[in-house]
Amino acid sequence: MSVILGIDIGGSGIKGAPVDTLSGKLVAERHRIPTPEGAQPDAVKDVVVELVQHFGHAGPVGITFPGIVQHGHTLSAANVDKDWIGLDADALFTEATGRDVTVINDADAAGLAEAKFGAGAGVSGEVLLLTFGTGIGSALIYNGVLVPNTEFGHLWLKGDKHAETWASDRAREHDDLNWKQWAKRASTYLQYLEGLFSPDLFIIGGGISKKADKWQPHIQTTRTKLVPATLQNEAGIVGAAMMADQRAQGQGS
Ligand code: BGC
């Protein structure tokens, strides 16, 4: 059994738990600390250190980030402090925790976890996970292998708008849409993605995955099967741990 600490940095909470990466199960109860106001790098780093200490964890640590993460550097910050842009987040967390840290995009982590242990388990071919929350995150997985940083939430949709500005859960709240109205927007977006990528399966994650009975009946895709995510708020933690495990075994970047 390989146990790795997974930490999920979200807009309202930073959550962690040790994960058995063979089964995808948490081996201790999840611990959540509210995200510091503004989510500045130094303040987030302090919370990460607190979580590592909370679990008394000695091995590698996987951490999600809600933006592009390339070779340990955070390169975008649509919904967090702009000081993250260009930062060597891997070095920041590694130095602060004294652990071997791997940083991964939040949707990529959720996608890895759902494809292996959740709604996509056993599905071969192309799985496209989308998380609908403050933004829209995306993860493209082909036969279990992740293509990182797809950022499909930033595809242009509806003139001058990014998809996430128009079809995220925040847009639903902001524009005061009922579920049917929101599902119409989400369907337009999903059909666009179908035309571009022809996935074998869509997995819909983020906070809305818990309310699938409200929106799923109204979603229309052209030909792709669609299922809600099943790991819900554990997906990021589990996927971060999986990625750290892959790297520890020399398979990740
Ligand atoms: C970011 C993505 C992230 C998504 C969900 C988007 O605004 O660009 O990197 O995965 O939000 O947090």
Side-chain angles (χ1 to χ4, degrees):
M1 178 165 98
S2 175
V3 174
I4 307 257
L5 182 62
I7 296 181
D8 190 17
I9 300 177
S12 59
I14 303 181
K15 298 136 286 189
V19 178
D20 171 2
T21 52
L22 285 182
S23 66
K25 300 261 179 264
L26 307 193
V27 299
E29 204 176 319
R30 215 170 60 107
H31 187 62
R32 178 184 187 278
I33 298 174
T35 305
E37 188 69 36
Q40 271 142 353
D42 265 345
V44 169
K45 174 203 71 185
D46 290 345
V47 173
V48 165
V49 170
E50 204 179 324
L51 282 169
V52 171
Q53 285 167 351
H54 172 87
F55 290 105
H57 185 78
V61 180
I63 303 181
T64 75
F65 175 76
I68 298 170
V69 183
Q70 196 170 26
H71 307 301
H73 290 68
T74 45
L75 300 185
S76 72
N79 300 303
V80 283
D81 190 80
K82 303 295 174 227
D83 281 357
W84 288 97
I85 298 174
L87 188 77
D88 188 347
D90 190 319
L92 176 80
F93 292 133
T94 298
E95 260 166 47
T97 59
R99 307 295 188 274
D100 185 7
V101 170
T102 301
V103 189
I104 175 175
N105 171 264
D106 56 355
D108 281 345
L112 273 182
E114 288 289 343
K116 178 130 194 228
F117 300 115
V123 177
S124 58
E126 186 183 312
V127 174
L128 182 46
L129 169 129
L130 298 157
T131 61
F132 290 85
T134 307
I136 295 180
S138 61
L140 183 64
I141 288 133
Y142 185 66
N143 287 340
V145 178
L146 172 75
V147 180
N149 295 310
T150 44
E151 293 289 331
F152 295 151
H154 294 280
L155 286 174
W156 298 105
L157 202 72
K158 291 282 145 193
D160 62 347
K161 285 195 174 128
H162 282 191
E164 72 173 24
T165 315
W166 188 67
S168 62
D169 196 39
R170 175 160 68 182
R172 179 183 66 81
E173 285 174 0
H174 179 268
D175 295 347
D176 204 14
L177 305 178
N178 63 34
W179 284 106
K180 196 171 171 188
Q181 290 166 323
W182 173 79
K184 206 169 162 204
R185 289 189 184 184
S187 299
T188 303
Y189 174 52
L190 292 167
Q191 287 169 21
Y192 184 48
L193 289 169
E194 273 184 302
L196 294 175
F197 301 105
S198 297
D200 293 288
L201 179 71
F202 277 126
I203 301 178
I204 306 300
I208 65 155
S209 59
K210 283 175 253 168
K211 304 170 194 156
D213 56 319
K214 297 200 177 0
W215 52 263
Q216 200 170 4
H218 306 298
I219 293 274
Q220 281 184 343
T221 55
T222 311
R223 55 184 185 278
T224 311
K225 191 174 170 216
L226 177 146
V227 290
T230 55
L231 301 176
Q232 292 168 0
N233 50 19
E234 288 180 6
I237 294 174
V238 173
M242 286 168 71
M243 190 48 125
D245 194 28
Q246 283 181 18
R247 193 165 91 161
Q249 294 180 34
Q251 296 161 11
S253 61

PDB file of all heavy atoms in Angstrom, residues 9 14 33-50 81 84 92-93:
ATOM      1  N   ILE A   9      -6.567  22.569  -3.165  1.00  0.00           N
ATOM      2  CA  ILE A   9      -6.719  24.011  -2.917  1.00  0.00           C
ATOM      3  C   ILE A   9      -7.951  24.501  -3.676  1.00  0.00           C
ATOM      4  O   ILE A   9      -7.983  24.509  -4.908  1.00  0.00           O
ATOM      5  CB  ILE A   9      -5.468  24.786  -3.374  1.00  0.00           C
ATOM      6  CG1 ILE A   9      -4.238  24.300  -2.607  1.00  0.00           C
ATOM      7  CG2 ILE A   9      -5.676  26.299  -3.194  1.00  0.00           C
ATOM      8  CD1 ILE A   9      -2.928  24.961  -3.039  1.00  0.00           C
ATOM      9  N   ILE A  14      -9.324  24.604   1.835  1.00  0.00           N
ATOM     10  CA  ILE A  14      -8.151  23.797   1.455  1.00  0.00           C
ATOM     11  C   ILE A  14      -8.271  22.511   2.266  1.00  0.00           C
ATOM     12  O   ILE A  14      -8.355  22.553   3.498  1.00  0.00           O
ATOM     13  CB  ILE A  14      -6.836  24.554   1.756  1.00  0.00           C
ATOM     14  CG1 ILE A  14      -6.856  25.900   1.005  1.00  0.00           C
ATOM     15  CG2 ILE A  14      -5.622  23.722   1.342  1.00  0.00           C
ATOM     16  CD1 ILE A  14      -5.625  26.753   1.171  1.00  0.00           C
ATOM     17  N   ILE A  33      -9.445  23.424   5.997  1.00  0.00           N
ATOM     18  CA  ILE A  33      -9.136  24.736   6.591  1.00  0.00           C
ATOM     19  C   ILE A  33      -9.627  25.783   5.579  1.00  0.00           C
ATOM     20  O   ILE A  33      -9.373  25.642   4.375  1.00  0.00           O
ATOM     21  CB  ILE A  33      -7.612  24.887   6.827  1.00  0.00           C
ATOM     22  CG1 ILE A  33      -7.130  23.820   7.831  1.00  0.00           C
ATOM     23  CG2 ILE A  33      -7.271  26.289   7.324  1.00  0.00           C
ATOM     24  CD1 ILE A  33      -5.620  23.776   8.027  1.00  0.00           C
ATOM     25  N   PRO A  34     -10.369  26.804   6.033  1.00  0.00           N
ATOM     26  CA  PRO A  34     -10.868  27.797   5.079  1.00  0.00           C
ATOM     27  C   PRO A  34      -9.720  28.449   4.299  1.00  0.00           C
ATOM     28  O   PRO A  34      -8.652  28.712   4.853  1.00  0.00           O
ATOM     29  CB  PRO A  34     -11.581  28.835   5.952  1.00  0.00           C
ATOM     30  CG  PRO A  34     -11.855  28.144   7.233  1.00  0.00           C
ATOM     31  CD  PRO A  34     -10.786  27.099   7.402  1.00  0.00           C
ATOM     32  N   THR A  35      -9.946  28.696   3.021  1.00  0.00           N
ATOM     33  CA  THR A  35      -8.932  29.358   2.185  1.00  0.00           C
ATOM     34  C   THR A  35      -8.768  30.800   2.676  1.00  0.00           C
ATOM     35  O   THR A  35      -9.753  31.517   2.838  1.00  0.00           O
ATOM     36  CB  THR A  35      -9.405  29.375   0.714  1.00  0.00           C
ATOM     37  OG1 THR A  35      -9.693  28.037   0.339  1.00  0.00           O
ATOM     38  CG2 THR A  35      -8.338  29.940  -0.207  1.00  0.00           C
ATOM     39  N   PRO A  36      -7.519  31.233   2.928  1.00  0.00           N
ATOM     40  CA  PRO A  36      -7.318  32.617   3.383  1.00  0.00           C
ATOM     41  C   PRO A  36      -7.867  33.605   2.349  1.00  0.00           C
ATOM     42  O   PRO A  36      -7.747  33.361   1.145  1.00  0.00           O
ATOM     43  CB  PRO A  36      -5.797  32.742   3.496  1.00  0.00           C
ATOM     44  CG  PRO A  36      -5.252  31.356   3.447  1.00  0.00           C
ATOM     45  CD  PRO A  36      -6.258  30.491   2.768  1.00  0.00           C
ATOM     46  N   GLU A  37      -8.447  34.664   2.831  1.00  0.00           N
ATOM     47  CA  GLU A  37      -8.995  35.719   1.976  1.00  0.00           C
ATOM     48  C   GLU A  37      -7.985  36.122   0.890  1.00  0.00           C
ATOM     49  O   GLU A  37      -6.822  36.401   1.194  1.00  0.00           O
ATOM     50  CB  GLU A  37      -9.301  36.926   2.899  1.00  0.00           C
ATOM     51  CG  GLU A  37     -10.047  38.069   2.267  1.00  0.00           C
ATOM     52  CD  GLU A  37     -11.486  37.702   1.937  1.00  0.00           C
ATOM     53  OE1 GLU A  37     -12.122  36.959   2.697  1.00  0.00           O
ATOM     54  OE2 GLU A  37     -11.963  38.183   0.874  1.00  0.00           O
ATOM     55  N   GLY A  38      -8.400  36.103  -0.346  1.00  0.00           N
ATOM     56  CA  GLY A  38      -7.522  36.521  -1.444  1.00  0.00           C
ATOM     57  C   GLY A  38      -6.652  35.398  -2.004  1.00  0.00           C
ATOM     58  O   GLY A  38      -6.108  35.506  -3.084  1.00  0.00           O
ATOM     59  N   ALA A  39      -6.492  34.313  -1.244  1.00  0.00           N
ATOM     60  CA  ALA A  39      -5.703  33.135  -1.671  1.00  0.00           C
ATOM     61  C   ALA A  39      -4.320  33.521  -2.204  1.00  0.00           C
ATOM     62  O   ALA A  39      -3.896  33.077  -3.265  1.00  0.00           O
ATOM     63  CB  ALA A  39      -6.474  32.320  -2.715  1.00  0.00           C
ATOM     64  N   GLN A  40      -3.615  34.357  -1.414  1.00  0.00           N
ATOM     65  CA  GLN A  40      -2.251  34.720  -1.826  1.00  0.00           C
ATOM     66  C   GLN A  40      -1.287  33.560  -1.566  1.00  0.00           C
ATOM     67  O   GLN A  40      -1.502  32.781  -0.635  1.00  0.00           O
ATOM     68  CB  GLN A  40      -1.783  35.951  -1.052  1.00  0.00           C
ATOM     69  CG  GLN A  40      -2.171  37.218  -1.775  1.00  0.00           C
ATOM     70  CD  GLN A  40      -2.589  38.314  -0.841  1.00  0.00           C
ATOM     71  OE1 GLN A  40      -2.718  38.076   0.357  1.00  0.00           O
ATOM     72  NE2 GLN A  40      -2.806  39.488  -1.388  1.00  0.00           N
ATOM     73  N   PRO A  41      -0.233  33.442  -2.381  1.00  0.00           N
ATOM     74  CA  PRO A  41       0.651  32.278  -2.259  1.00  0.00           C
ATOM     75  C   PRO A  41       1.176  32.028  -0.840  1.00  0.00           C
ATOM     76  O   PRO A  41       1.131  30.899  -0.363  1.00  0.00           O
ATOM     77  CB  PRO A  41       1.799  32.618  -3.229  1.00  0.00           C
ATOM     78  CG  PRO A  41       1.182  33.513  -4.250  1.00  0.00           C
ATOM     79  CD  PRO A  41       0.144  34.302  -3.532  1.00  0.00           C
ATOM     80  N   ASP A  42       1.647  33.065  -0.145  1.00  0.00           N
ATOM     81  CA  ASP A  42       2.239  32.841   1.173  1.00  0.00           C
ATOM     82  C   ASP A  42       1.215  32.334   2.183  1.00  0.00           C
ATOM     83  O   ASP A  42       1.512  31.455   3.003  1.00  0.00           O
ATOM     84  CB  ASP A  42       2.877  34.137   1.697  1.00  0.00           C
ATOM     85  CG  ASP A  42       4.354  34.146   1.363  1.00  0.00           C
ATOM     86  OD1 ASP A  42       4.881  33.061   1.017  1.00  0.00           O
ATOM     87  OD2 ASP A  42       4.972  35.234   1.417  1.00  0.00           O
ATOM     88  N   ALA A  43       0.015  32.904   2.110  1.00  0.00           N
ATOM     89  CA  ALA A  43      -1.036  32.498   3.045  1.00  0.00           C
ATOM     90  C   ALA A  43      -1.482  31.064   2.760  1.00  0.00           C
ATOM     91  O   ALA A  43      -1.696  30.261   3.679  1.00  0.00           O
ATOM     92  CB  ALA A  43      -2.213  33.469   2.933  1.00  0.00           C
ATOM     93  N   VAL A  44      -1.581  30.713   1.478  1.00  0.00           N
ATOM     94  CA  VAL A  44      -1.973  29.343   1.109  1.00  0.00           C
ATOM     95  C   VAL A  44      -0.886  28.354   1.533  1.00  0.00           C
ATOM     96  O   VAL A  44      -1.167  27.281   2.066  1.00  0.00           O
ATOM     97  CB  VAL A  44      -2.259  29.255  -0.415  1.00  0.00           C
ATOM     98  CG1 VAL A  44      -2.401  27.812  -0.870  1.00  0.00           C
ATOM     99  CG2 VAL A  44      -3.509  30.065  -0.771  1.00  0.00           C
ATOM    100  N   LYS A  45       0.360  28.768   1.355  1.00  0.00           N
ATOM    101  CA  LYS A  45       1.497  27.928   1.759  1.00  0.00           C
ATOM    102  C   LYS A  45       1.412  27.592   3.253  1.00  0.00           C
ATOM    103  O   LYS A  45       1.626  26.459   3.668  1.00  0.00           O
ATOM    104  CB  LYS A  45       2.797  28.678   1.446  1.00  0.00           C
ATOM    105  CG  LYS A  45       4.046  28.003   1.923  1.00  0.00           C
ATOM    106  CD  LYS A  45       5.170  29.002   2.098  1.00  0.00           C
ATOM    107  CE  LYS A  45       4.917  29.903   3.299  1.00  0.00           C
ATOM    108  NZ  LYS A  45       5.872  30.982   3.496  1.00  0.00           N
ATOM    109  N   ASP A  46       1.068  28.605   4.069  1.00  0.00           N
ATOM    110  CA  ASP A  46       0.971  28.363   5.520  1.00  0.00           C
ATOM    111  C   ASP A  46      -0.101  27.325   5.839  1.00  0.00           C
ATOM    112  O   ASP A  46       0.059  26.494   6.736  1.00  0.00           O
ATOM    113  CB  ASP A  46       0.664  29.678   6.261  1.00  0.00           C
ATOM    114  CG  ASP A  46       1.861  30.632   6.228  1.00  0.00           C
ATOM    115  OD1 ASP A  46       2.984  30.166   5.904  1.00  0.00           O
ATOM    116  OD2 ASP A  46       1.670  31.839   6.505  1.00  0.00           O
ATOM    117  N   VAL A  47      -1.204  27.374   5.096  1.00  0.00           N
ATOM    118  CA  VAL A  47      -2.284  26.393   5.332  1.00  0.00           C
ATOM    119  C   VAL A  47      -1.814  24.994   4.928  1.00  0.00           C
ATOM    120  O   VAL A  47      -2.092  24.005   5.620  1.00  0.00           O
ATOM    121  CB  VAL A  47      -3.568  26.791   4.558  1.00  0.00           C
ATOM    122  CG1 VAL A  47      -4.622  25.697   4.674  1.00  0.00           C
ATOM    123  CG2 VAL A  47      -4.121  28.114   5.069  1.00  0.00           C
ATOM    124  N   VAL A  48      -1.082  24.920   3.827  1.00  0.00           N
ATOM    125  CA  VAL A  48      -0.565  23.621   3.373  1.00  0.00           C
ATOM    126  C   VAL A  48       0.363  23.033   4.449  1.00  0.00           C
ATOM    127  O   VAL A  48       0.271  21.851   4.794  1.00  0.00           O
ATOM    128  CB  VAL A  48       0.160  23.786   2.006  1.00  0.00           C
ATOM    129  CG1 VAL A  48       1.017  22.564   1.690  1.00  0.00           C
ATOM    130  CG2 VAL A  48      -0.861  24.028   0.894  1.00  0.00           C
ATOM    131  N   VAL A  49       1.225  23.877   5.011  1.00  0.00           N
ATOM    132  CA  VAL A  49       2.132  23.415   6.074  1.00  0.00           C
ATOM    133  C   VAL A  49       1.308  22.896   7.265  1.00  0.00           C
ATOM    134  O   VAL A  49       1.586  21.834   7.842  1.00  0.00           O
ATOM    135  CB  VAL A  49       3.080  24.551   6.520  1.00  0.00           C
ATOM    136  CG1 VAL A  49       3.855  24.164   7.777  1.00  0.00           C
ATOM    137  CG2 VAL A  49       4.047  24.910   5.389  1.00  0.00           C
ATOM    138  N   GLU A  50       0.237  23.631   7.600  1.00  0.00           N
ATOM    139  CA  GLU A  50      -0.614  23.225   8.729  1.00  0.00           C
ATOM    140  C   GLU A  50      -1.235  21.846   8.459  1.00  0.00           C
ATOM    141  O   GLU A  50      -1.314  21.012   9.360  1.00  0.00           O
ATOM    142  CB  GLU A  50      -1.704  24.297   8.881  1.00  0.00           C
ATOM    143  CG  GLU A  50      -2.294  24.371  10.258  1.00  0.00           C
ATOM    144  CD  GLU A  50      -3.361  25.469  10.344  1.00  0.00           C
ATOM    145  OE1 GLU A  50      -3.196  26.530   9.690  1.00  0.00           O
ATOM    146  OE2 GLU A  50      -4.374  25.241  11.046  1.00  0.00           O
ATOM    147  N   ASP A  81      -5.385  34.762  -6.526  1.00  0.00           N
ATOM    148  CA  ASP A  81      -4.496  35.920  -6.567  1.00  0.00           C
ATOM    149  C   ASP A  81      -3.510  35.842  -7.747  1.00  0.00           C
ATOM    150  O   ASP A  81      -2.921  34.799  -8.013  1.00  0.00           O
ATOM    151  CB  ASP A  81      -3.722  35.967  -5.244  1.00  0.00           C
ATOM    152  CG  ASP A  81      -2.957  37.257  -5.100  1.00  0.00           C
ATOM    153  OD1 ASP A  81      -3.574  38.264  -4.725  1.00  0.00           O
ATOM    154  OD2 ASP A  81      -1.735  37.248  -5.394  1.00  0.00           O
ATOM    155  N   TRP A  84       0.203  34.245  -8.221  1.00  0.00           N
ATOM    156  CA  TRP A  84       0.527  32.855  -8.568  1.00  0.00           C
ATOM    157  C   TRP A  84       1.104  32.746  -9.970  1.00  0.00           C
ATOM    158  O   TRP A  84       1.800  31.786 -10.294  1.00  0.00           O
ATOM    159  CB  TRP A  84      -0.734  31.979  -8.489  1.00  0.00           C
ATOM    160  CG  TRP A  84      -1.195  31.716  -7.103  1.00  0.00           C
ATOM    161  CD1 TRP A  84      -2.170  32.377  -6.421  1.00  0.00           C
ATOM    162  CD2 TRP A  84      -0.710  30.698  -6.207  1.00  0.00           C
ATOM    163  NE1 TRP A  84      -2.321  31.846  -5.158  1.00  0.00           N
ATOM    164  CE2 TRP A  84      -1.434  30.819  -5.011  1.00  0.00           C
ATOM    165  CE3 TRP A  84       0.269  29.710  -6.300  1.00  0.00           C
ATOM    166  CZ2 TRP A  84      -1.211  29.969  -3.920  1.00  0.00           C
ATOM    167  CZ3 TRP A  84       0.488  28.865  -5.227  1.00  0.00           C
ATOM    168  CH2 TRP A  84      -0.249  29.006  -4.037  1.00  0.00           C
ATOM    169  N   LEU A  92       8.034  26.432  -3.749  1.00  0.00           N
ATOM    170  CA  LEU A  92       7.460  27.114  -2.572  1.00  0.00           C
ATOM    171  C   LEU A  92       6.965  26.093  -1.547  1.00  0.00           C
ATOM    172  O   LEU A  92       7.302  26.158  -0.359  1.00  0.00           O
ATOM    173  CB  LEU A  92       6.289  28.016  -3.023  1.00  0.00           C
ATOM    174  CG  LEU A  92       5.518  28.737  -1.931  1.00  0.00           C
ATOM    175  CD1 LEU A  92       6.273  29.987  -1.483  1.00  0.00           C
ATOM    176  CD2 LEU A  92       4.121  29.147  -2.415  1.00  0.00           C
ATOM    177  N   PHE A  93       6.163  25.119  -2.021  1.00  0.00           N
ATOM    178  CA  PHE A  93       5.585  24.126  -1.112  1.00  0.00           C
ATOM    179  C   PHE A  93       6.643  23.128  -0.628  1.00  0.00           C
ATOM    180  O   PHE A  93       6.601  22.679   0.515  1.00  0.00           O
ATOM    181  CB  PHE A  93       4.447  23.366  -1.806  1.00  0.00           C
ATOM    182  CG  PHE A  93       3.229  24.211  -2.091  1.00  0.00           C
ATOM    183  CD1 PHE A  93       2.613  24.173  -3.338  1.00  0.00           C
ATOM    184  CD2 PHE A  93       2.671  25.030  -1.113  1.00  0.00           C
ATOM    185  CE1 PHE A  93       1.483  24.931  -3.615  1.00  0.00           C
ATOM    186  CE2 PHE A  93       1.532  25.794  -1.370  1.00  0.00           C
ATOM    187  CZ  PHE A  93       0.936  25.748  -2.630  1.00  0.00           C
TER     188      PHE A  93
END
